[in-house]
Amino acid sequence: MVMFLFLVVALAVVVAAVTLSVVSGGESGPLPEVAPERLQDPLPPDRPVNRADVESIRFPLAPRGYRMADVDDALSRLGAELAERDARIADLESALAGAQAAPHTAHTSHTSHTSLDKPQPEDRP
Protein backbone atom coordinates (compact mmCIF):
# COMPACT_ATOMS: atom_id res chain seq x y z
CA MET A 1 0.00 0.00 0.00
CA VAL A 2 2.86 2.38 0.78
CA MET A 3 4.44 1.70 -2.62
CA PHE A 4 1.17 2.45 -4.40
CA LEU A 5 0.84 5.74 -2.53
CA PHE A 6 4.41 6.67 -3.41
CA LEU A 7 3.76 5.99 -7.13
CA VAL A 8 0.58 8.11 -7.10
CA VAL A 9 2.41 11.05 -5.46
CA ALA A 10 5.35 10.73 -7.91
CA LEU A 11 2.95 10.68 -10.86
CA ALA A 12 1.13 13.76 -9.51
CA VAL A 13 4.45 15.62 -9.16
CA VAL A 14 5.49 14.75 -12.72
CA VAL A 15 2.11 15.80 -14.15
CA ALA A 16 2.24 19.08 -12.20
CA ALA A 17 5.79 19.83 -13.40
CA VAL A 18 4.94 19.14 -17.06
CA THR A 19 1.74 21.20 -16.83
CA LEU A 20 3.57 24.11 -15.22
CA SER A 21 6.30 24.10 -17.86
CA VAL A 22 3.83 23.94 -20.75
CA VAL A 23 1.62 26.70 -19.35
CA SER A 24 4.44 29.07 -18.43
CA GLY A 25 6.41 28.52 -21.65
CA GLY A 26 3.43 28.92 -23.95
CA GLU A 27 3.07 32.69 -23.47
CA SER A 28 6.40 33.67 -25.04
CA GLY A 29 5.82 31.74 -28.26
CA PRO A 30 8.03 29.18 -29.92
CA LEU A 31 11.77 29.28 -29.60
CA PRO A 32 13.49 31.35 -32.27
CA GLU A 33 15.31 29.57 -35.07
CA VAL A 34 19.03 29.27 -34.50
CA ALA A 35 21.33 30.03 -37.39
CA PRO A 36 23.07 26.87 -38.54
CA GLU A 37 26.62 26.54 -37.34
CA ARG A 38 29.07 26.83 -40.23
CA LEU A 39 32.69 25.90 -40.64
CA GLN A 40 34.70 28.49 -38.67
CA ASP A 41 38.20 27.83 -39.99
CA PRO A 42 38.00 27.01 -43.70
CA LEU A 43 40.99 25.95 -45.72
CA PRO A 44 43.05 28.91 -47.00
CA PRO A 45 41.92 30.00 -50.49
CA ASP A 46 45.09 31.92 -51.38
CA ARG A 47 47.73 29.17 -50.95
CA PRO A 48 48.08 25.40 -51.12
CA VAL A 49 46.87 23.45 -48.13
CA ASN A 50 49.60 22.15 -45.84
CA ARG A 51 49.64 19.57 -43.06
CA ALA A 52 48.96 22.13 -40.32
CA ASP A 53 45.81 23.30 -42.15
CA VAL A 54 44.47 19.76 -42.32
CA GLU A 55 45.30 19.05 -38.67
CA SER A 56 43.68 22.28 -37.45
CA ILE A 57 40.40 22.02 -39.36
CA ARG A 58 37.41 21.33 -37.12
CA PHE A 59 33.98 20.61 -38.48
CA PRO A 60 30.90 21.90 -36.62
CA LEU A 61 28.54 19.31 -35.25
CA ALA A 62 25.08 18.86 -36.68
CA PRO A 63 22.18 16.99 -35.05
CA ARG A 64 23.36 13.67 -36.51
CA GLY A 65 27.13 14.20 -36.71
CA TYR A 66 29.00 16.56 -39.04
CA ARG A 67 27.54 18.68 -41.81
CA MET A 68 28.06 16.63 -44.92
CA ALA A 69 28.38 19.72 -47.14
CA ASP A 70 31.31 21.08 -45.10
CA VAL A 71 33.10 17.74 -45.05
CA ASP A 72 32.44 17.17 -48.77
CA ASP A 73 33.79 20.64 -49.64
CA ALA A 74 36.96 20.11 -47.62
CA LEU A 75 37.55 16.63 -49.06
CA SER A 76 36.94 17.87 -52.61
CA ARG A 77 39.47 20.67 -52.12
CA LEU A 78 42.05 18.29 -50.65
CA GLY A 79 41.48 15.78 -53.44
CA ALA A 80 41.92 18.43 -56.14
CA GLU A 81 45.12 19.74 -54.56
CA LEU A 82 46.54 16.24 -54.17
CA ALA A 83 45.75 15.45 -57.82
CA GLU A 84 47.43 18.71 -58.88
CA ARG A 85 50.52 17.91 -56.80
CA ASP A 86 50.66 14.35 -58.17
CA ALA A 87 50.54 15.70 -61.73
CA ARG A 88 53.30 18.21 -60.94
CA ILE A 89 55.47 15.49 -59.37
CA ALA A 90 54.94 13.26 -62.42
CA ASP A 91 55.94 16.16 -64.73
CA LEU A 92 59.08 16.87 -62.70
CA GLU A 93 60.04 13.20 -62.59
CA SER A 94 59.65 12.85 -66.35
CA ALA A 95 61.68 16.04 -66.89
CA LEU A 96 64.39 14.69 -64.61
CA ALA A 97 64.41 11.35 -66.43
CA GLY A 98 64.71 13.21 -69.73
CA ALA A 99 67.55 15.34 -68.39
CA GLN A 100 69.38 12.25 -67.14
CA ALA A 101 68.87 10.39 -70.44
CA ALA A 102 69.99 13.35 -72.61
CA PRO A 103 73.67 13.30 -71.53
CA HIS A 104 73.86 9.56 -72.22
CA THR A 105 72.56 9.88 -75.80
CA ALA A 106 74.03 13.24 -76.85
CA HIS A 107 77.50 12.88 -75.37
CA THR A 108 78.40 9.27 -76.05
CA SER A 109 81.82 10.34 -77.39
CA HIS A 110 82.82 12.04 -74.16
CA THR A 111 84.32 9.81 -71.51
CA SER A 112 83.05 11.78 -68.55
CA HIS A 113 79.69 13.41 -67.97
CA THR A 114 77.92 15.06 -65.09
CA SER A 115 75.58 12.74 -63.28
CA LEU A 116 72.46 13.93 -61.51
CA ASP A 117 72.41 10.79 -59.38
CA LYS A 118 72.95 11.01 -55.64
CA PRO A 119 76.68 10.48 -54.94
CA GLN A 120 77.63 7.29 -53.19
CA PRO A 121 79.20 7.61 -49.70
CA GLU A 122 82.63 6.60 -50.98
CA ASP A 123 82.48 9.28 -53.75
CA ARG A 124 82.00 12.14 -51.29
CA PRO A 125 85.08 14.21 -50.38
Side-chain angles (χ1 to χ4, degrees):
M1 180 70 178
V2 174
M3 185 63 140
F4 177 72
L5 185 60
F6 174 74
L7 289 175
V8 170
V9 170
L11 182 64
V13 169
V14 169
V15 168
V18 169
T19 304
L20 183 63
S21 65
V22 168
V23 170
S24 66
E27 295 174 8
S28 63
L31 294 175
E33 288 294 323
V34 177
E37 187 178 354
R38 299 300 298 168
L39 187 60
Q40 296 295 321
D41 190 17
L43 298 172
D46 57 341
R47 63 176 170 80
V49 176
N50 60 30
R51 182 181 180 131
D53 295 328
V54 175
E55 288 176 351
S56 68
I57 194 166
R58 297 292 177 258
F59 295 103
L61 291 175
R64 289 185 283 157
Y66 294 106
R67 293 189 174 282
M68 288 193 304
D70 290 339
V71 176
D72 289 344
D73 291 344
L75 290 177
S76 295
R77 167 88 187 271
L78 290 172
E81 286 197 16
L82 287 174
E84 184 179 316
R85 287 179 188 173
D86 289 344
R88 178 74 177 142
I89 289 170
D91 290 344
L92 291 173
E93 286 177 343
S94 66
L96 179 62
Q100 287 177 338
H104 293 291
T105 60
H107 301 291
T108 55
S109 62
H110 293 95
T111 57
S112 66
H113 63 277
T114 305
S115 174
L116 297 176
D117 294 333
K118 184 177 177 181
Q120 297 300 322
E122 61 273 358
D123 294 341
R124 292 182 185 166

